[in-house]
């Protein structure tokens, strides 16, 4: 008996050690500037959306979140139809800065409207629509950055960090200890600060070119029927569950005046997010289909617990808020990770897919806000009936619409595409084909990843002239004259070597 316990403890300790090492390795690869940038964007979203008009709570209070969500939905729907004619460049550029500026001005316009009582309703409506611009485009730009860099762990880290940043900000907002206009200035600057942390668009393009997964340009029409079916199922599940979570949030806000967003319950939620975030990073890094399936099922159970906790949420129960917070986070994190993998699995344009799912999310928010109006003032029997109906519908979504089998299938197909010809193997094939020496092959791979000659010299511990000499000989042997031509040549070598008639050719 004692031996079995010892063996179990040793196995458990080994599993924890391997998981910790894997998580450390994944987090060591991250660009923490990107993590902070997206976390700031999400914190701004919570402060300006989840907490309606958090700065002033002016009377008469106008809850115009539905205007922001509707504007987000309409703008992204139009973008999905016209994205070929009006493409959105991902990265730090003039268009993104303009979007951030609209979001920043709109964030300040809401509180400023109290200075103009006669026009305050109009100004608030304009501010709400302007916030919709930021809610629409800033998140999809950041998601595209994480996908291009293949930083799935960074996406999870940003979700956790957003909660850490939002906690003190929400406490300050609700307490009002720092003065109204100081808070206005801080909240209004967040979108611009987030945009400043974006990488240059050239860097994003280079990351797409050098990543293990090519930057595909397929649209919705080019998808196979089976692929469209998976996408539709994903969107239906996303819409329904987000609508339920938003309904619960509105019930909570109506009953507790948003204090739970900054209270002790949210602190407990932050600790739980940290634990679940690390677990999710380990599971997706290991590419374990069984583990992903279990995580997805546990996420479903938490969302179902959110639905069943609605009567307690209406009473302002802090434990029910923790369940709501964790259910929302788990579902959001799992679906975001699956969404990143879906870009690769469907070989679809990343920005287009992110725009579609963000439009579905905003439509679900509008639906949740609309449904929440039916819950106020209703008798207990009506509420319990609604809980039962939503519980059954939620179970139907997870069991029959977008199931754990669909989730793992997306991951499996993504693995198949991502590992068909990894970039390091492409470089190896190109080096063999061009007859490069070992050091020349090393320099070629580093230059192809976008590193400057000086950075290569520093990493290899050689002089800049030596690196330039290697690059000159690499270009000569490959018959190219620029880095872009070298990238094209690397791809052509890989294509020739992996073609059916090219196997064993080199």
């Amino acid at each position: 008996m004692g031996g079995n316990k010892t063996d179990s403890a040793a196995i458990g300790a080994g599993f924890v050690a391997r998981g910790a090492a894997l998580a450390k390795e994944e987090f060591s690869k991250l660009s923490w500037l990107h993590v902070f940038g997206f976390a700031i964007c999400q914190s701004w979203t919570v402060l300006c959306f989840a907490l309606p008009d958090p700065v002033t709570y002016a009377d008469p209070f106008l809850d115009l979140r539905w205007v922001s969500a509707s504007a987000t939905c309409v703008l992204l729907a139009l973008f999905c139809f016209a994205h070929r004619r009006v493409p959105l460049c991902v990265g730090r550029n003039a268009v993104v800065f303009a979007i951030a500026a609209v979001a920043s001005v709109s964030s300040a316009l809401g509180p400023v409207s109290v200075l103009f009582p006669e026009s305050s309703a109009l100004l608030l409506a304009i501010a709400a629509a302007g916030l919709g611009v930021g809610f629409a485009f800033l998140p999809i730009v950041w998601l595209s950055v994480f996908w291009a860099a293949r930083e799935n762990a960074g996406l999870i880290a940003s979700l956790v960090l957003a909660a850490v940043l939002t906690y003190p900000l929400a406490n300050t907002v609700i307490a009002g200890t720092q003065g109204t206009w100081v808070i206005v200035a801080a909240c209004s600057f967040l979108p611009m600060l987030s945009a400043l942390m974006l990488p240059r668009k050239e860097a994003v393009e280079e990351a797409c070119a050098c990543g293990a997964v090519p930057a595909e340009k397929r649209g919705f029409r080019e998808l196979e029927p089976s692929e469209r079916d998976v996408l539709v199922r994903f969107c239906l599940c996303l819409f329904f569950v987000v609508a339920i979570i938003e309904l619960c949030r509105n019930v909570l806000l109506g009953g507790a005046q948003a204090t739970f967003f900054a209270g002790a319950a949210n602190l407990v939620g932050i600790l739980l997010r940290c634990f679940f975030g690390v677990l999710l990073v380990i599971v997706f890094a290991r590419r374990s289909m069984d583990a992903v399936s279990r995580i997805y099922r546990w996420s479903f159970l938490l969302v179902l617990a959110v639905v069943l906790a609605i009567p307690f949420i209406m009473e302002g129960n802090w434990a029910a808020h923790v369940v709501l917070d964790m259910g929302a986070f788990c579902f959001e994190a799992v679906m975001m990770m699956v969404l990143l993998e879906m870009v690769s699995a469907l070989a679809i344009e990343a920005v287009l897919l992110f725009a579609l799912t963000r439009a579905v999310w905003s439509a679900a928010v509008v639906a949740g806000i609309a449904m929440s109006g039916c819950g106020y003032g209703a008798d207990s029997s009506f509420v319990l009936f609604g809980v039962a109906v939503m519980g059954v519908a939620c179970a139907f979504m997870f069991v029959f619409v977008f199931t754990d089998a669909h989730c793992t299938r997306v991951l499996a197909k993504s693995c198949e595409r991502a590992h068909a010809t990894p970039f390091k193997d492409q470089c190896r094939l190109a080096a063999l084909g061009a007859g490069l020496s070992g050091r020349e092959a090393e320099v070629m791979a580093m230059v192809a990843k976008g590193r400057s000659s000086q950075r290569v010299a520093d990493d290899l511990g050689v002089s800049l002239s030596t690196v330039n000499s290697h690059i000159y000989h690499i270009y000569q042997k490959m018959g190219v004259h620029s880095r872009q031509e070298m990238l094209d040549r690397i791809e052509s070598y890989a294509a020739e070597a992996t073609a059916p008639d090219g196997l064993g050719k080199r």
Side-chain angles (χ1 to χ4, degrees), residues 54-197:
V55 177
T56 59
Y57 287 98
D59 291 322
F61 176 70
L62 293 176
D63 185 357
L64 297 178
R65 289 173 299 159
W66 67 272
V67 174
S68 299
S70 299
T72 298
C73 185
V74 171
L75 287 171
L76 289 177
L78 292 174
F79 175 76
C80 287
F81 281 109
H83 76 284
R84 301 274 172 140
R85 280 176 267 176
V86 190
L88 177 65
C89 294
V90 175
R92 195 169 62 238
N93 58 73
V95 174
V96 173
F97 277 130
I99 292 170
V102 171
S104 292
V105 171
S106 301
S107 300
L109 186 58
V112 169
S113 65
V114 299
L115 302 177
F116 307 94
E118 297 180 355
S119 307
S120 61
L122 176 61
L123 292 175
L124 282 171
I126 294 173
L131 289 173
V133 175
F135 296 152
F137 293 106
L138 288 181
I140 68 173
V141 169
W142 273 113
L143 284 173
S144 300
V145 168
F146 281 108
W147 177 80
R150 303 303 290 163
E151 291 185 349
N152 294 24
L155 181 62
I156 298 299
S158 68
L159 293 176
V160 175
L161 184 59
V164 175
L165 294 176
T166 303
Y167 182 76
L169 289 173
N171 271 293
T172 304
V173 164
I174 291 176
T177 55
Q178 301 301 317
T180 299
W181 300 110
V182 174
I183 299 172
V184 169
C187 293
S188 300
F189 188 67
L190 292 180
M192 288 299 296
L193 181 60
S194 178
L196 286 169
M197 292 183 175

Side-chain angles (χ1 to χ4, degrees), residues 199-448:
R200 294 177 296 105
K201 65 177 183 178
E202 294 82 7
V204 177
E205 291 170 357
E206 289 180 1
C208 287
C210 299
V213 180
E216 303 282 357
K217 297 296 182 184
R218 286 210 298 175
F220 298 131
R221 294 181 180 180
E222 287 80 24
L223 297 178
E224 299 291 334
S226 59
E227 295 172 330
R228 273 198 293 267
D229 177 65
V230 171
L231 181 56
V232 169
R233 288 171 178 271
F234 180 88
C235 290
L236 282 174
C237 187
L238 182 67
F239 176 86
F240 188 84
V241 178
V242 170
I244 286 180
I245 291 172
E246 187 60 30
L247 166 63
C248 295
R249 287 198 192 281
N250 277 275
V251 170
L252 179 65
L253 288 171
Q257 295 300 315
T259 54
F260 279 148
F261 276 93
N266 213 30
L267 186 58
V268 174
I270 288 173
L271 298 176
L272 292 175
R273 283 178 191 227
C274 292
F275 169 77
F276 185 81
V278 173
L279 178 62
L280 198 60
V281 166
I282 295 172
V283 166
F284 275 84
R286 290 178 61 212
R287 299 278 177 172
S288 169
M289 305 304 167
D290 290 338
V292 171
S293 179
R294 285 194 294 270
I295 288 289
Y296 189 77
R297 289 197 294 267
W298 276 103
S299 174
F300 153 64
L301 290 176
L302 277 171
V303 172
L304 188 60
V306 169
V307 175
L308 299 178
I310 286 179
F312 303 100
I313 292 174
M314 295 185 71
E315 298 174 4
N317 186 290
W318 75 270
H321 171 74
V322 172
V323 174
L324 169 64
D325 186 56
M326 281 311 301
F329 172 76
C330 292
F331 178 78
E332 178 185 14
V334 170
M335 295 301 266
M336 276 194 173
M337 294 293 275
V338 173
L339 181 61
L340 287 186
E341 300 296 343
M342 194 174 288
V343 177
S344 304
L346 301 182
I348 194 172
E349 189 172 355
V351 175
L352 180 60
L353 182 60
F354 297 148
L356 172 67
T357 51
R358 186 71 176 175
V360 170
W361 171 86
S362 55
V365 169
V366 175
I369 293 173
M371 288 190 299
S372 65
C374 302
Y376 295 122
D379 57 40
S380 58
S381 60
F382 178 81
V383 172
L384 292 176
F385 174 76
V387 169
V389 170
M390 285 190 294
V392 171
C394 183
F396 181 83
M397 285 289 138
F398 279 86
V399 174
F400 297 107
V401 180
F402 191 77
T403 67
D404 62 327
H406 292 103
C407 179
T408 53
R409 200 178 305 146
V410 166
L411 185 63
K413 192 169 183 180
S414 172
C415 289
E416 180 182 320
R417 293 184 56 83
H419 294 87
T421 311
F423 183 66
K424 63 180 181 180
D425 289 344
Q426 291 182 2
C427 290
R428 178 179 58 80
L429 292 170
L432 288 173
L436 303 183
S437 67
R439 178 49 65 98
E440 286 171 347
E442 191 175 9
V443 171
M444 179 195 69
M446 297 174 76
V447 172

